[in-house]
Amino acid sequence: MKLLEMQEINVFYGKAQALHDIALDVQDGEFVSIIGPNGAGKTTLFNAISGLISYKGTIIFGGKVLPKKTYDTVQLGLIHCPEGRSLFPFMTVVDNLRLGAYRRKDKEVERDLQEVFELFPRLKERQRQLVRTLSGGEQQMVAIGRALMGKPRLLMLDEPTLGLAPIVRSHISKALDEIQSRHNVTILLAEQNADFAFKHSDRMYLLETGKIVRQGTSAELQYDPYIQQAYLGH
Amino acid sequence: MILKRARTLTWVSAAIILISLGFLILVPQLFVGNSFLISTFVFANIYSILAMSWDLLSGYTGQISFGHSFFFGIGAYTSALLSMHLGWSPLYTIPLGGVMASLGGLLVATPALRLRGPYLSLITLVSALGIDQLIRVLKLGSTGAEGAIQCEIDLATGVNHCVPPISANEVEVYYFALGLMVCIAIFLIFLVRSRIGLAFEAIRDDEEAAEAAGIDAKKYKILAFMISGFLAGLAGAVMVHKMQQASPGLVLDLNISIEAIVASVLGGMGTILGPVGGAYFYILIRELLRPFGQWRLFAVFVIALLILLFIPRGVLAEIRLRLMHWIKSEKPKEPQQGARA
Amino acid sequence: MEVIAEVLIFGFLISSLYALVSVGFSMIFGVAGVLNLAHGAMAMFAAYIASWAIMTFGLGFLPASILGVLGVALISPILYWVIIRPLGEKPVVVFLATLLLGVIFEQAMILAFGFNARVLPPIIKGGFIVFGDIRILYNRALAGAVAVILIGLLWLFITRTKYGKAIQGISMSTKGAALSGIPTHKIILLVWAISGALAAIAGLFSASFLGVSPLADREFTVIAFSTVVLGGLGSLPGSLLAAFIIGYVETITVQFAPEARGLASLAILIVVLILRPQGLFGRAHE
């Protein structure tokens, strides 16, 4: 079943067009990546999907038209973990995580909090610390944890490894595997780092200057000469 | 076609400015003997200078001042005290009032250099409130009461000392104020088109970017404060000789700062001539519609707020922009689609 | 000794009212990024509503005050929604718009009630609390107690409840809050209502000591603006501390050099801003 589906999505900044006729879909349980260089429009696309900016066109989520307001998209379980993280720096780790569950009224919030702590034991140790005192990698863990606390049907991760050391990147990488296997969360990832994306994705889209220029399964695209040359450095 | 329309636009603007100026020159002839009306036009010119001064610092350079009465008051008190006690002609003391206010600008600019946005605005507000208090506490006015300067009789000689008028002839006073206003307007129009004006705008739009482009933001901010202070000081000095008295309530009240802002908002910030139009509009309504009591001020402030809401560029700039688009035969750009959270 | 006790007590009473005005101003800046120069007008407006209700309907001070607080708690979010929010992310325009709103309120009060000051009756008439030789009117003591209790409750609300944490979250990252599913607009409206109500309460008490006039809002706004900048924009503890600094400085100058009353706090403000441009507890706002 298709969880997310869109055709001809266009985004304008004033007169400049940032995204052109984006068509994209994500199946339930899939891990899909959008790769492309800096400035290609990955963040713009994510911001449009989660309603942070306005767009022309219709997005279908879970078989229904996706509302265009952030608040409503979050209520449906479309959780966007943004580039730059947008954490609450003067609050503790645990408060940041709990705010991620703001929309939820079910009784499993505490259980999910423990699961986030199992996923990132580092956060459990530092749960009373202010987020601003954490390292970049730890802050990224808080950001992913906060998104998980929102009980996502679709988790959109925007550049989760940007600026992180290789060792930290591998922590995040392991966590993503676990999130997908254990919690069966559908993931849409935006990445400049194609290697990282190939490692996790079932399918991928290549976005360049606001247009989708390649798409296919990871296996197919891995041997695409253009991608090999431009993104994988072979 | 475009060229023809552009030329028409230039001619139309020039014609409007010349006709307005012609009317202003003829005011004393048109309203002979009506000293209330002529006084009103004098006030309109004084407020035009004040509003242009605010516009230079806040509209052009982006340093939002809530305390222009600080400069206005310094100019007024300096000129009043010098002319009254030393017997100097207002023609000398008015520029000196401007110079003192300019030094006041330097004084405010020094702490203001490290401050931005609301912090800076607060400093300007605090300076204005502070000097108001200071003059009351020091009893700067020789009459004593709350720092007011009024006529006083020298008991030894029996001579009545007053703040002298610029001229006993109200028509001359009018032409003095109008001439000063026009000269300042011309000066400012050239200034904002010069490299200095470009630097001011660059600082307003993005101070970091301006510095990165090699503009010494500190230097230009001090300059903006000093020129703006000088002009507001001139306005205050002319005012004090027009009224022949000074008190914190008359020349240092927060209302003066608010009126300067309202005039600029009415005409359009960052356009120099817009605030002149705004000042005329404001003063004419304030003076001529007195029978409507407080309703007139209420209405003016509401209009100013509506302009901020619906024509944020200001009336003059909006008209100019629409004409420009008409010349290029384009529809004006829709307001930018902003991000929403 | 007595002088010191007097300064301590009266300084505390005045500071707590300043704090009441300032925390609201600070919260509005925190969540909406707006320096609301019409904040003082809210305090003044509440006093006029109460005065009008007393004169017109013969209400007692308490019901009239409740009416004033509710009226402001209603009008404050409406002003935000109808006038401030549509202006968008243009700080200068928003700043000037709130200034104009303030003067429009002043003119409206002049039109409706005239220039003359009005005094509200005290909520508790007569009577003193006596500490040695110092006598405090019940009404003043009540104002201090109410202010302290309200600030305490506000503190619990902000730090312990879900809504309060949402308020903190929005003030640190509006985007992060929206993406966490916090209804940012509703919370911001709630903050405008709470802030208006707190200012209203301060305005009502102040009007029962000193009366209220159509330009009374300016003093409230200047105090709120000064304390919040002194404390550091966006920091509630900073605003509270600054309210007490300014309140005590004023009380001390009134005691020893009454003529310099207004000057001392202005001087402190300038000195602090020169030494610490970001205020005492300033922090960045995304």
Side-chain angles (χ1 to χ4, degrees), chain C residues 133-188:
Chain C
D133 281 351
I134 302 164
R135 304 197 302 172
I136 309 161
L137 276 171
Y138 279 152
N139 197 39
R140 285 211 101 122
L142 180 73
V146 167
V148 169
I149 290 169
L150 284 176
I151 289 167
L153 288 176
L154 182 74
W155 191 252
L156 289 176
F157 177 72
I158 299 273
T159 55
R160 297 273 185 276
T161 69
K162 195 176 169 184
Y163 289 115
K165 290 197 172 159
I167 290 173
Q168 287 191 55
I170 294 172
S171 72
M172 293 172 207
S173 168
T174 311
K175 186 171 150 195
L179 291 176
S180 302
I182 294 169
T184 47
H185 286 316
K186 277 187 200 156
I187 301 281
I188 291 173

Short mmCIF file of all heavy atoms in Angstrom, two decimals, chain C residues 133-188:
data_model
loop_
_atom_site.label_atom_id
_atom_site.label_comp_id
_atom_site.label_asym_id
_atom_site.label_seq_id
_atom_site.Cartn_x
_atom_site.Cartn_y
_atom_site.Cartn_z
N ASP C 133 7.20 50.58 63.35
CA ASP C 133 6.64 51.88 62.98
C ASP C 133 6.17 51.95 61.54
O ASP C 133 5.73 53.00 61.08
CB ASP C 133 7.71 52.97 63.20
CG ASP C 133 7.79 53.32 64.68
OD1 ASP C 133 6.91 52.85 65.43
OD2 ASP C 133 8.71 54.05 65.05
N ILE C 134 6.31 50.86 60.84
CA ILE C 134 5.93 50.89 59.42
C ILE C 134 4.50 50.38 59.28
O ILE C 134 4.16 49.32 59.80
CB ILE C 134 6.87 50.02 58.59
CG1 ILE C 134 8.31 50.50 58.78
CG2 ILE C 134 6.49 50.06 57.12
CD1 ILE C 134 9.32 49.49 58.34
N ARG C 135 3.70 51.17 58.60
CA ARG C 135 2.31 50.74 58.41
C ARG C 135 2.05 50.55 56.92
O ARG C 135 2.33 51.43 56.11
CB ARG C 135 1.37 51.79 59.00
CG ARG C 135 1.69 52.04 60.48
CD ARG C 135 0.58 52.73 61.18
NE ARG C 135 0.25 54.02 60.57
CZ ARG C 135 -0.80 54.75 60.91
NH1 ARG C 135 -1.63 54.29 61.84
NH2 ARG C 135 -1.03 55.91 60.36
N ILE C 136 1.52 49.40 56.60
CA ILE C 136 1.22 49.12 55.20
C ILE C 136 -0.28 48.98 55.06
O ILE C 136 -0.90 48.17 55.75
CB ILE C 136 1.89 47.80 54.75
CG1 ILE C 136 3.37 47.82 55.10
CG2 ILE C 136 1.71 47.59 53.26
CD1 ILE C 136 3.96 46.44 55.11
N LEU C 137 -0.84 49.76 54.13
CA LEU C 137 -2.27 49.63 53.86
C LEU C 137 -2.60 48.20 53.45
O LEU C 137 -1.85 47.59 52.69
CB LEU C 137 -2.67 50.58 52.72
CG LEU C 137 -2.96 52.03 53.11
CD1 LEU C 137 -3.11 52.87 51.85
CD2 LEU C 137 -4.23 52.10 53.94
N TYR C 138 -3.72 47.70 53.92
CA TYR C 138 -4.13 46.35 53.53
C TYR C 138 -4.12 46.20 52.01
O TYR C 138 -3.71 45.18 51.48
CB TYR C 138 -5.56 46.06 54.03
CG TYR C 138 -5.63 45.66 55.49
CD1 TYR C 138 -6.77 45.92 56.24
CD2 TYR C 138 -4.56 45.00 56.09
CE1 TYR C 138 -6.85 45.54 57.56
CE2 TYR C 138 -4.63 44.63 57.42
CZ TYR C 138 -5.78 44.90 58.16
OH TYR C 138 -5.85 44.52 59.47
N ASN C 139 -4.61 47.24 51.34
CA ASN C 139 -4.74 47.16 49.89
C ASN C 139 -3.39 46.93 49.22
O ASN C 139 -3.25 46.13 48.30
CB ASN C 139 -5.41 48.43 49.37
CG ASN C 139 -5.94 48.26 47.97
OD1 ASN C 139 -6.48 47.21 47.64
ND2 ASN C 139 -5.78 49.28 47.15
N ARG C 140 -2.36 47.65 49.74
CA ARG C 140 -1.02 47.50 49.17
C ARG C 140 -0.48 46.12 49.46
O ARG C 140 0.14 45.48 48.60
CB ARG C 140 -0.08 48.54 49.75
CG ARG C 140 -0.28 49.93 49.21
CD ARG C 140 1.04 50.65 49.20
NE ARG C 140 1.55 50.64 47.85
CZ ARG C 140 1.84 51.75 47.17
NH1 ARG C 140 1.71 52.93 47.72
NH2 ARG C 140 2.31 51.67 45.94
N ALA C 141 -0.70 45.67 50.69
CA ALA C 141 -0.20 44.35 51.07
C ALA C 141 -0.87 43.29 50.21
O ALA C 141 -0.22 42.35 49.73
CB ALA C 141 -0.49 44.10 52.55
N LEU C 142 -2.16 43.49 49.97
CA LEU C 142 -2.89 42.54 49.15
C LEU C 142 -2.29 42.49 47.73
O LEU C 142 -2.09 41.42 47.16
CB LEU C 142 -4.37 42.92 49.09
CG LEU C 142 -5.22 41.99 48.24
CD1 LEU C 142 -5.41 40.66 48.95
CD2 LEU C 142 -6.56 42.61 47.90
N ALA C 143 -2.00 43.69 47.19
CA ALA C 143 -1.42 43.75 45.85
C ALA C 143 -0.12 42.95 45.80
O ALA C 143 0.10 42.15 44.87
CB ALA C 143 -1.17 45.20 45.44
N GLY C 144 0.72 43.15 46.82
CA GLY C 144 1.99 42.42 46.85
C GLY C 144 1.75 40.92 46.92
O GLY C 144 2.37 40.14 46.18
N ALA C 145 0.82 40.53 47.78
CA ALA C 145 0.56 39.10 47.96
C ALA C 145 0.01 38.50 46.67
O ALA C 145 0.47 37.44 46.22
CB ALA C 145 -0.43 38.89 49.10
N VAL C 146 -0.94 39.19 46.06
CA VAL C 146 -1.52 38.67 44.82
C VAL C 146 -0.44 38.53 43.75
O VAL C 146 -0.35 37.51 43.05
CB VAL C 146 -2.66 39.60 44.33
CG1 VAL C 146 -3.05 39.26 42.90
CG2 VAL C 146 -3.86 39.49 45.24
N ALA C 147 0.41 39.55 43.65
CA ALA C 147 1.46 39.50 42.63
C ALA C 147 2.38 38.32 42.86
O ALA C 147 2.70 37.57 41.92
CB ALA C 147 2.25 40.81 42.62
N VAL C 148 2.79 38.13 44.11
CA VAL C 148 3.71 37.03 44.39
C VAL C 148 3.06 35.69 44.10
O VAL C 148 3.65 34.80 43.47
CB VAL C 148 4.18 37.10 45.87
CG1 VAL C 148 4.92 35.83 46.25
CG2 VAL C 148 5.08 38.31 46.06
N ILE C 149 1.80 35.55 44.51
CA ILE C 149 1.11 34.28 44.26
C ILE C 149 0.96 34.02 42.76
O ILE C 149 1.24 32.93 42.27
CB ILE C 149 -0.28 34.29 44.95
CG1 ILE C 149 -0.09 34.24 46.47
CG2 ILE C 149 -1.12 33.12 44.47
CD1 ILE C 149 -1.36 34.50 47.25
N LEU C 150 0.58 35.06 42.03
CA LEU C 150 0.39 34.88 40.59
C LEU C 150 1.69 34.49 39.90
O LEU C 150 1.72 33.62 39.04
CB LEU C 150 -0.17 36.15 39.95
CG LEU C 150 -1.65 36.40 40.21
CD1 LEU C 150 -2.06 37.73 39.61
CD2 LEU C 150 -2.48 35.28 39.61
N ILE C 151 2.78 35.16 40.31
CA ILE C 151 4.06 34.83 39.67
C ILE C 151 4.47 33.41 40.03
O ILE C 151 4.96 32.66 39.17
CB ILE C 151 5.13 35.87 40.06
CG1 ILE C 151 4.80 37.19 39.35
CG2 ILE C 151 6.52 35.40 39.67
CD1 ILE C 151 5.57 38.36 39.85
N GLY C 152 4.21 33.02 41.29
CA GLY C 152 4.50 31.64 41.68
C GLY C 152 3.70 30.65 40.84
O GLY C 152 4.23 29.67 40.32
N LEU C 153 2.40 30.93 40.68
CA LEU C 153 1.55 30.03 39.89
C LEU C 153 2.03 29.99 38.44
O LEU C 153 2.07 28.92 37.82
CB LEU C 153 0.09 30.51 39.93
CG LEU C 153 -0.63 30.29 41.26
CD1 LEU C 153 -2.03 30.88 41.19
CD2 LEU C 153 -0.70 28.80 41.59
N LEU C 154 2.38 31.16 37.92
CA LEU C 154 2.85 31.21 36.54
C LEU C 154 4.09 30.35 36.39
O LEU C 154 4.25 29.60 35.43
CB LEU C 154 3.16 32.66 36.15
CG LEU C 154 3.62 32.83 34.70
CD1 LEU C 154 2.45 32.67 33.76
CD2 LEU C 154 4.27 34.19 34.48
N TRP C 155 4.98 30.45 37.39
CA TRP C 155 6.22 29.67 37.34
C TRP C 155 5.91 28.17 37.31
O TRP C 155 6.47 27.43 36.50
CB TRP C 155 7.09 30.03 38.55
CG TRP C 155 8.46 29.47 38.42
CD1 TRP C 155 8.99 28.43 39.11
CD2 TRP C 155 9.45 29.92 37.50
NE1 TRP C 155 10.27 28.20 38.68
CE2 TRP C 155 10.57 29.09 37.69
CE3 TRP C 155 9.48 30.92 36.53
CZ2 TRP C 155 11.74 29.24 36.95
CZ3 TRP C 155 10.64 31.07 35.78
CH2 TRP C 155 11.75 30.25 36.00
N LEU C 156 4.98 27.74 38.18
CA LEU C 156 4.60 26.33 38.17
C LEU C 156 4.00 25.95 36.82
O LEU C 156 4.30 24.89 36.26
CB LEU C 156 3.58 26.05 39.28
CG LEU C 156 4.14 26.09 40.70
CD1 LEU C 156 3.02 25.90 41.72
CD2 LEU C 156 5.20 25.01 40.87
N PHE C 157 3.16 26.81 36.31
CA PHE C 157 2.50 26.55 35.03
C PHE C 157 3.53 26.36 33.92
O PHE C 157 3.46 25.41 33.14
CB PHE C 157 1.56 27.71 34.70
CG PHE C 157 0.88 27.60 33.37
CD1 PHE C 157 -0.12 26.67 33.16
CD2 PHE C 157 1.24 28.44 32.33
CE1 PHE C 157 -0.75 26.56 31.93
CE2 PHE C 157 0.62 28.34 31.10
CZ PHE C 157 -0.38 27.40 30.90
N ILE C 158 4.52 27.27 33.89
CA ILE C 158 5.49 27.23 32.80
C ILE C 158 6.41 26.02 32.92
O ILE C 158 6.77 25.40 31.92
CB ILE C 158 6.36 28.51 32.83
CG1 ILE C 158 5.51 29.75 32.63
CG2 ILE C 158 7.47 28.44 31.80
CD1 ILE C 158 5.26 30.12 31.23
N THR C 159 6.80 25.68 34.15
CA THR C 159 7.82 24.64 34.28
C THR C 159 7.25 23.26 34.52
O THR C 159 7.94 22.27 34.33
CB THR C 159 8.79 24.95 35.44
OG1 THR C 159 8.00 25.15 36.63
CG2 THR C 159 9.59 26.21 35.17
N ARG C 160 5.97 23.16 34.95
CA ARG C 160 5.47 21.84 35.32
C ARG C 160 4.40 21.29 34.38
O ARG C 160 4.20 20.10 34.34
CB ARG C 160 4.87 21.88 36.75
CG ARG C 160 5.86 22.21 37.83
CD ARG C 160 6.57 20.98 38.35
NE ARG C 160 7.42 21.29 39.46
CZ ARG C 160 8.68 21.75 39.33
NH1 ARG C 160 9.19 21.92 38.13
NH2 ARG C 160 9.42 22.02 40.38
N THR C 161 3.69 22.15 33.68
CA THR C 161 2.57 21.63 32.90
C THR C 161 2.95 21.45 31.44
O THR C 161 3.92 22.01 30.95
CB THR C 161 1.36 22.57 32.95
OG1 THR C 161 1.68 23.76 32.23
CG2 THR C 161 0.98 22.94 34.39
N LYS C 162 2.14 20.68 30.76
CA LYS C 162 2.34 20.42 29.34
C LYS C 162 2.25 21.72 28.53
O LYS C 162 3.09 21.99 27.68
CB LYS C 162 1.25 19.45 28.90
CG LYS C 162 1.48 18.79 27.59
CD LYS C 162 0.35 17.78 27.32
CE LYS C 162 0.43 17.31 25.88
NZ LYS C 162 -0.66 16.43 25.49
N TYR C 163 1.24 22.53 28.86
CA TYR C 163 1.10 23.80 28.14
C TYR C 163 2.31 24.69 28.38
O TYR C 163 2.80 25.34 27.48
CB TYR C 163 -0.17 24.54 28.59
CG TYR C 163 -1.44 23.90 28.12
CD1 TYR C 163 -2.35 23.35 29.01
CD2 TYR C 163 -1.74 23.85 26.76
CE1 TYR C 163 -3.52 22.75 28.58
CE2 TYR C 163 -2.90 23.26 26.31
CZ TYR C 163 -3.79 22.71 27.22
OH TYR C 163 -4.92 22.12 26.77
N GLY C 164 2.74 24.71 29.64
CA GLY C 164 3.88 25.55 29.98
C GLY C 164 5.13 25.14 29.22
O GLY C 164 5.87 25.97 28.71
N LYS C 165 5.32 23.80 29.13
CA LYS C 165 6.49 23.33 28.39
C LYS C 165 6.36 23.65 26.92
O LYS C 165 7.36 23.93 26.24
CB LYS C 165 6.69 21.84 28.64
CG LYS C 165 7.13 21.63 30.07
CD LYS C 165 7.73 20.29 30.34
CE LYS C 165 8.30 20.31 31.75
NZ LYS C 165 8.47 18.98 32.31
N ALA C 166 5.13 23.61 26.43
CA ALA C 166 4.92 24.00 25.03
C ALA C 166 5.30 25.46 24.83
O ALA C 166 5.92 25.84 23.83
CB ALA C 166 3.47 23.77 24.62
N ILE C 167 4.94 26.30 25.81
CA ILE C 167 5.31 27.72 25.72
C ILE C 167 6.83 27.87 25.66
O ILE C 167 7.38 28.57 24.81
CB ILE C 167 4.74 28.50 26.93
CG1 ILE C 167 3.21 28.58 26.81
CG2 ILE C 167 5.34 29.91 27.01
CD1 ILE C 167 2.53 29.18 28.02
N GLN C 168 7.52 27.14 26.58
CA GLN C 168 8.98 27.19 26.55
C GLN C 168 9.51 26.72 25.21
O GLN C 168 10.43 27.31 24.64
CB GLN C 168 9.55 26.26 27.62
CG GLN C 168 9.40 26.75 29.03
CD GLN C 168 10.24 25.86 29.95
OE1 GLN C 168 11.42 25.67 29.75
NE2 GLN C 168 9.60 25.29 30.95
N GLY C 169 8.93 25.63 24.73
CA GLY C 169 9.39 25.07 23.46
C GLY C 169 9.26 26.07 22.33
O GLY C 169 10.20 26.30 21.56
N ILE C 170 8.09 26.71 22.23
CA ILE C 170 7.88 27.68 21.15
C ILE C 170 8.89 28.81 21.25
O ILE C 170 9.41 29.28 20.25
CB ILE C 170 6.44 28.23 21.20
CG1 ILE C 170 5.44 27.11 20.89
CG2 ILE C 170 6.26 29.36 20.20
CD1 ILE C 170 4.00 27.51 21.10
N SER C 171 9.18 29.24 22.49
CA SER C 171 10.08 30.37 22.62
C SER C 171 11.52 29.99 22.25
O SER C 171 12.32 30.84 21.94
CB SER C 171 10.02 30.96 24.03
OG SER C 171 10.65 30.09 24.93
N MET C 172 11.84 28.68 22.27
CA MET C 172 13.20 28.28 21.89
C MET C 172 13.29 27.91 20.42
O MET C 172 14.31 28.11 19.78
CB MET C 172 13.65 27.10 22.74
CG MET C 172 13.84 27.47 24.19
SD MET C 172 14.15 26.02 25.19
CE MET C 172 13.52 26.58 26.76
N SER C 173 12.25 27.32 19.88
CA SER C 173 12.23 27.01 18.45
C SER C 173 10.79 26.82 18.00
O SER C 173 10.18 25.79 18.25
CB SER C 173 13.02 25.73 18.17
OG SER C 173 12.77 25.31 16.84
N THR C 174 10.27 27.83 17.34
CA THR C 174 8.89 27.75 16.87
C THR C 174 8.73 26.60 15.89
O THR C 174 7.73 25.88 15.92
CB THR C 174 8.49 29.09 16.22
OG1 THR C 174 8.86 30.13 17.09
CG2 THR C 174 7.01 29.15 15.97
N LYS C 175 9.75 26.43 15.04
CA LYS C 175 9.67 25.37 14.04
C LYS C 175 9.67 24.00 14.71
O LYS C 175 8.84 23.14 14.39
CB LYS C 175 10.87 25.51 13.11
CG LYS C 175 10.90 24.58 11.93
CD LYS C 175 12.02 25.02 11.01
CE LYS C 175 12.60 23.85 10.25
NZ LYS C 175 13.89 24.21 9.63
N GLY C 176 10.59 23.83 15.66
CA GLY C 176 10.66 22.56 16.36
C GLY C 176 9.35 22.26 17.06
O GLY C 176 8.88 21.12 17.08
N ALA C 177 8.74 23.30 17.63
CA ALA C 177 7.47 23.10 18.34
C ALA C 177 6.38 22.69 17.36
O ALA C 177 5.62 21.75 17.62
CB ALA C 177 7.08 24.39 19.06
N ALA C 178 6.32 23.36 16.22
CA ALA C 178 5.29 23.03 15.24
C ALA C 178 5.47 21.60 14.77
O ALA C 178 4.50 20.84 14.65
CB ALA C 178 5.35 24.00 14.06
N LEU C 179 6.73 21.18 14.53
CA LEU C 179 6.97 19.84 14.02
C LEU C 179 6.74 18.78 15.09
O LEU C 179 6.63 17.60 14.78
CB LEU C 179 8.40 19.73 13.48
CG LEU C 179 8.66 20.53 12.19
CD1 LEU C 179 10.11 20.44 11.79
CD2 LEU C 179 7.77 20.03 11.06
N SER C 180 6.67 19.20 16.35
CA SER C 180 6.35 18.25 17.41
C SER C 180 4.84 18.13 17.61
O SER C 180 4.39 17.47 18.53
CB SER C 180 6.98 18.68 18.74
OG SER C 180 8.37 18.79 18.58
N GLY C 181 4.08 18.83 16.78
CA GLY C 181 2.64 18.73 16.89
C GLY C 181 2.03 19.67 17.90
O GLY C 181 0.88 19.49 18.31
N ILE C 182 2.81 20.67 18.34
CA ILE C 182 2.25 21.67 19.27
C ILE C 182 1.42 22.66 18.46
O ILE C 182 1.89 23.17 17.44
CB ILE C 182 3.39 22.38 20.02
CG1 ILE C 182 4.12 21.38 20.92
CG2 ILE C 182 2.86 23.56 20.83
CD1 ILE C 182 5.41 21.90 21.51
N PRO C 183 0.19 22.92 18.86
CA PRO C 183 -0.63 23.90 18.12
C PRO C 183 -0.11 25.31 18.43
O PRO C 183 -0.63 25.99 19.31
CB PRO C 183 -2.04 23.68 18.66
CG PRO C 183 -1.85 23.07 20.02
CD PRO C 183 -0.54 22.34 20.00
N THR C 184 0.93 25.72 17.71
CA THR C 184 1.66 26.95 18.07
C THR C 184 0.74 28.17 18.14
O THR C 184 0.86 28.97 19.05
CB THR C 184 2.80 27.21 17.08
OG1 THR C 184 2.29 27.07 15.76
CG2 THR C 184 3.92 26.23 17.26
N HIS C 185 -0.17 28.29 17.16
CA HIS C 185 -1.03 29.48 17.16
C HIS C 185 -1.88 29.57 18.42
O HIS C 185 -2.02 30.61 19.03
CB HIS C 185 -1.93 29.50 15.93
CG HIS C 185 -1.20 29.84 14.68
ND1 HIS C 185 -0.29 30.87 14.62
CD2 HIS C 185 -1.23 29.30 13.45
CE1 HIS C 185 0.20 30.94 13.41
NE2 HIS C 185 -0.34 29.99 12.67
N LYS C 186 -2.45 28.41 18.81
CA LYS C 186 -3.30 28.41 20.00
C LYS C 186 -2.50 28.78 21.24
O LYS C 186 -2.96 29.53 22.09
CB LYS C 186 -3.93 27.02 20.19
CG LYS C 186 -5.17 26.82 19.35
CD LYS C 186 -5.83 25.49 19.70
CE LYS C 186 -6.73 25.08 18.56
NZ LYS C 186 -6.95 23.63 18.54
N ILE C 187 -1.29 28.20 21.33
CA ILE C 187 -0.48 28.48 22.52
C ILE C 187 -0.08 29.96 22.55
O ILE C 187 -0.09 30.60 23.60
CB ILE C 187 0.78 27.58 22.52
CG1 ILE C 187 0.39 26.11 22.52
CG2 ILE C 187 1.67 27.91 23.71
CD1 ILE C 187 -0.04 25.55 23.84
N ILE C 188 0.24 30.51 21.39
CA ILE C 188 0.63 31.92 21.36
C ILE C 188 -0.56 32.80 21.79
O ILE C 188 -0.40 33.75 22.55
CB ILE C 188 1.15 32.31 19.96
CG1 ILE C 188 2.50 31.62 19.70
CG2 ILE C 188 1.32 33.83 19.84
CD1 ILE C 188 3.04 31.79 18.30
#
